[in-house]
Amino acid sequence: MHFKYSVLAASMAAVLSVTGCNGSSSGNNTSTDGNKQPATLTQGKFIDAPVEGLYYVTKPSGKSGYTNHEGTYDLAEGDTITFYLGGEHGLRIGSTSARAITSPFEATGNYQKALNLARILQSMDNADDGAITLPDSIKAPGAAMLAALNEVQLHDMASATDLKKELNISDWVSEDKTLAHLNNSLKGLERGSKEVLTDWQRGSGKLFRYIDTTLTAQNSPTSEPSLYVQADKTLAPELFEATRGMSHLTFRFDKEHLAVLKGSNDSTLSESYAKYYLTCKAGNASNIFTHRESGFHECNSTQMVTTDNQFNLGNTFAYNLLSPEEVQTKDAQYPWDLLGFEGVFSCIANSSCSEASMTGFEIVEEDDSEEQDGSALQRNVNSNSYDAVTGIFTTVTKKTILSGMHKGRVSESLTFMYPIDDAEAERYVEFTGTWKAIETLPGCDEVAESTYVFNDKGATVSGARFYGDCAVMTVIAEPLSISYQELSDMDFWWFTTNGNGNDAKATLTQLNTTVRWCDDDNYQPGKACTNIKYNRWEYAPAGKNWDEGVLHRRTLDSNGNVVSTISFQKQ
């Protein structure tokens, strides 16, 4: 991989332009380390407009209640806050570390979920008057309302049809109006401490990992959106290991340079390109795949005409795999004074990064062409957030191409950036402990609750689960013991993949991956499969050890229909 300024700009500028990190560290700013809550918080606010009536539970302090007319909730230092719509047995929205301001983006960790949550909240009250008061039917829901809430999957507004009926709402607030309201509420809002983070500045010598992935893409307004697949367990093991993952860069903040370290790889194999690559490599992993500038693909110098049908994902899914040949082989240095970036890299260069300056929301239109001639106009909706407890900087983005050959293309992406101790090291979410799971099926009024206790060998599972028809819920009479290898062969694909001593751990990349897998009995990877399924995993980390967020899994069939949904949270 030959890393260029243009590549760095393309991968960073769009998602990081929102944060206002201008100026220097002089004046009234004070400094703190890069993973410390600068001030003790006793309260936070949930803001779309201020939302009254959201139920919340904090741990470990155990505070709970409903947000008041200012959106305020109580907390204690070190708490993680979980939000619900309709009380503790209603719709679990998500969890976040203690922070002064929580928006739908921090609560859900996902662009589409945040937008849909905001549409639901704004539809319950006139948000234009500066506040949202949830109705009594949500604060004290009856059985029908609870059933409707438990059917809601925030990624899909169609799942909220019964909720709309129970609320007696004719139509949800439109996406455009919702975004305009969010922009008015959040743009320019100070959302955290102004204390300078000393690790997040040039010359600190600190190492950071940057991971980025496109989650969905829609090539035109008339085409179907595709959910991107970052790992395919139907591939032969060697090919699976080589291609799974996301774009990742490792930075070191030197005094004069931004260092991009060897081992970084920001290249991916997407859509039809990936299908040709896999077709070539599936025959023999040592085959040489070449992409010509003319647009043709070659395998061992022979032009490829077709791709193997096993890599045809249909209209609902598309590959976005890591390109194993594009790993950076040596360190590269880029002078800070020549980079000229906005956003987080600007505040790093100016030694002015803080929780407040790294957290923001903005809708921007810009020309991404070098000539600035209007040939590459794009509209970005960006939400950036620095979590002072986890030390993670997160960006969720929706990009719409407004001109050029890709006009009309819409994509959603997710980025994490966080400190690491060593260039070869990784940060993990530790699963050892007790996790509560809540499972739902489309169209079912019931929910199935179970408990997973992870130990050094695997997990024991007790409680209830669905098996097929939603009318049949089987109670597990005796706890089931499942090894980590068995879990890895099933839904929990990351177990046993992170090296010795890390069987019970997962990376943020692994917990935010869409995985293609085979549900045939006794399936052997690399062979034909008759029952393809997809698991979409989503996790927004919370808490000092990153393990207090809500882990979501959607299982979909090959046509993109949701088969089941389950969420996990550590107790």
Side-chain angles (χ1 to χ4, degrees):
M1 175 183 178
H2 302 289
F3 200 74
K4 301 180 177 67
Y5 289 121
S6 59
V7 176
L8 187 63
S11 61
M12 305 296 179
V15 298
L16 301 177
S17 63
V18 61
T19 48
C21 303
N22 298 316
S24 68
S25 58
S26 61
N28 295 325
N29 289 329
T30 56
S31 296
T32 183
D33 65 62
N35 192 29
K36 178 183 177 184
Q37 184 74 33
T40 299
L41 289 173
T42 60
Q43 290 184 324
K45 291 185 177 182
F46 193 102
I47 301 293
D48 175 330
V51 180
E52 178 183 355
L54 277 182
Y55 187 74
Y56 67 91
V57 177
T58 70
K59 69 172 189 177
S61 72
K63 299 178 185 296
S64 63
Y66 291 88
T67 54
N68 68 15
H69 66 283
E70 295 182 331
T72 301
Y73 52 88
D74 294 326
L75 56 87
E77 185 175 10
D79 269 348
T80 293
I81 303 92
T82 302
F83 295 98
Y84 299 82
L85 192 60
E88 195 167 5
H89 300 290
L91 172 63
R92 181 165 57 185
I93 295 168
S95 297
T96 183
S97 305
R99 58 188 312 121
I101 302 291
T102 299
S103 79
F105 294 97
E106 286 80 35
T108 63
N110 177 281
Y111 175 85
Q112 195 61 53
K113 287 184 175 181
L115 181 63
N116 289 345
L117 172 63
R119 291 181 69 189
I120 291 172
L121 294 175
Q122 292 178 29
S123 298
M124 292 187 195
D125 192 19
N126 180 13
D128 293 336
D129 65 6
I132 297 173
T133 301
L134 302 185
D136 291 340
S137 61
I138 288 291
K139 297 176 186 176
M145 179 64 79
L146 280 176
L149 287 165
N150 286 321
E151 289 181 6
V152 175
Q153 305 299 325
L154 284 174
H155 67 275
D156 180 17
M157 286 297 284
S159 67
T161 300
D162 286 349
L163 177 61
K164 184 168 64 173
K165 179 181 178 181
E166 288 297 321
L167 290 168
N168 196 26
I169 293 173
S170 58
D171 290 298
W172 300 114
V173 173
S174 70
E175 288 195 8
D176 288 343
K177 185 175 181 180
T178 298
L179 276 177
H181 184 271
L182 282 169
N183 193 38
N184 289 334
S185 296
L186 299 177
K187 185 178 180 180
L189 180 64
E190 187 174 304
R191 293 164 59 186
S193 170
K194 292 184 177 180
E195 293 187 72
V196 172
L197 303 170
T198 57
D199 287 355
W200 292 77
Q201 61 179 277
R202 62 189 292 180
S204 71
K206 298 298 183 179
L207 300 173
F208 285 80
R209 179 74 31 80
Y210 173 97
I211 60 175
D212 170 71
T213 190
T214 300
L215 301 175
T216 64
Q218 184 176 2
N219 288 323
S220 72
T222 58
S223 65
E224 291 294 324
S226 295
L227 183 62
Y228 272 1
V229 174
Q230 292 86 19
D232 188 345
K233 289 201 71 175
T234 71
L235 301 177
E238 183 178 358
L239 193 53
F240 166 72
E241 288 295 332
T243 59
R244 68 178 176 90
M246 300 178 182
S247 299
H248 57 86
L249 302 170
T250 302
F251 298 121
R252 187 181 65 238
F253 298 159
D254 297 337
K255 183 65 176 178
E256 301 298 330
H257 303 89
L258 171 65
V260 184
L261 305 187
K262 67 178 181 179
S264 297
N265 187 351
D266 72 337
S267 298
T268 57
L269 304 164
S270 296
E271 302 182 20
S272 62
Y273 188 103
K275 292 192 287 186
Y276 279 100
Y277 178 89
L278 295 175
T279 297
C280 178
K281 293 289 186 176
N284 188 322
S286 62
N287 286 344
I288 299 175
F289 175 79
T290 307
H291 174 69
R292 299 298 183 190
E293 291 185 3
S294 60
F296 293 109
H297 307 283
E298 294 179 356
C299 187
N300 294 333
S301 301
T302 300
Q303 183 175 321
M304 302 178 69
V305 178
T306 61
T307 59
D308 194 313
N309 190 56
Q310 69 173 308
F311 306 125
N312 182 8
L313 308 189
N315 296 324
T316 306
F317 301 93
Y319 283 119
N320 189 33
L321 304 174
L322 198 62
S323 180
E325 278 85 12
E326 299 297 327
V327 178
Q328 186 170 312
T329 57
K330 60 181 181 180
D331 295 353
Q333 293 182 330
Y334 303 96
W336 288 108
D337 295 338
L338 298 182
L339 289 179
F341 291 127
E342 299 178 355
V344 73
F345 282 88
S346 175
C347 76
I348 292 169
N350 293 324
S351 301
S352 59
C353 290
S354 66
E355 180 186 14
S357 66
M358 295 167 70
T359 303
F361 177 84
E362 193 168 44
I363 303 172
V364 294
E365 291 190 7
E366 58 188 1
D367 186 356
D368 198 38
S369 67
E370 293 185 6
E371 297 80 8
Q372 292 294 291
D373 58 0
S375 61
L377 293 175
Q378 61 186 34
R379 179 177 185 255
N380 294 325
V381 182
N382 299 320
S383 175
N384 289 346
S385 179
Y386 177 74
D387 185 329
V389 177
T390 64
I392 299 172
F393 175 72
T394 302
T395 298
V396 295
T397 299
K398 181 177 181 179
K399 178 189 292 185
T400 303
I401 305 299
L402 302 177
S403 66
M405 64 181 299
H406 299 297
K407 181 179 179 179
R409 178 180 170 86
V410 178
S411 61
E412 294 178 19
S413 61
L414 172 69
T415 300
F416 294 112
M417 188 172 173
Y418 51 87
I420 53 176
D421 294 329
D422 182 86
E424 303 298 322
E426 186 51 278
R427 299 281 299 273
Y428 295 99
V429 175
E430 172 66 66
F431 273 78
T432 301
T434 301
W435 294 67
K436 181 180 178 181
I438 300 175
E439 184 180 12
T440 62
L441 298 186
C444 293
D445 292 341
E446 301 288 341
V447 297
E449 298 187 8
S450 57
T451 300
Y452 287 67
V453 180
F454 295 95
N455 53 43
D456 59 342
K457 303 293 184 183
T460 58
V461 184
S462 59
R465 294 190 64 187
F466 289 111
Y467 289 91
D469 192 327
C470 66
V472 180
M473 187 169 63
T474 301
V475 177
I476 303 171
E478 296 292 336
L480 302 175
S481 295
I482 311 173
S483 70
Y484 281 119
Q485 185 58 58
E486 290 172 323
L487 288 166
S488 179
D489 293 338
M490 297 161 54
D491 292 340
F492 301 86
W493 71 280
W494 56 82
F495 288 135
T496 74
T497 66
N498 293 313
N500 292 335
N502 294 320
D503 282 356
K505 298 177 181 179
T507 66
L508 291 184
T509 293
Q510 291 169 332
L511 297 181
N512 287 281
T513 291
T514 299
V515 186
R516 185 179 188 236
W517 59 289
C518 182
D519 202 19
D520 290 350
D521 291 336
N522 302 314
Y523 176 71
Q524 296 296 316
K527 304 297 183 182
C529 175
T530 60
N531 189 11
I532 292 287
K533 288 184 180 177
Y534 297 82
N535 281 346
R536 171 64 198 145
W537 290 96
E538 297 172 345
Y539 185 72
K544 182 179 180 181
N545 296 320
W546 297 13
D547 59 353
E548 296 177 24
V550 179
L551 175 63
H552 297 275
R553 187 214 69 197
R554 275 183 285 150
T555 298
L556 305 98
D557 64 21
S558 58
N559 295 316
N561 300 310
V562 176
V563 177
S564 67
T565 303
I566 190 168
S567 62
F568 302 83
Q569 188 169 28
K570 204 170 193 178
Q571 301 302 292

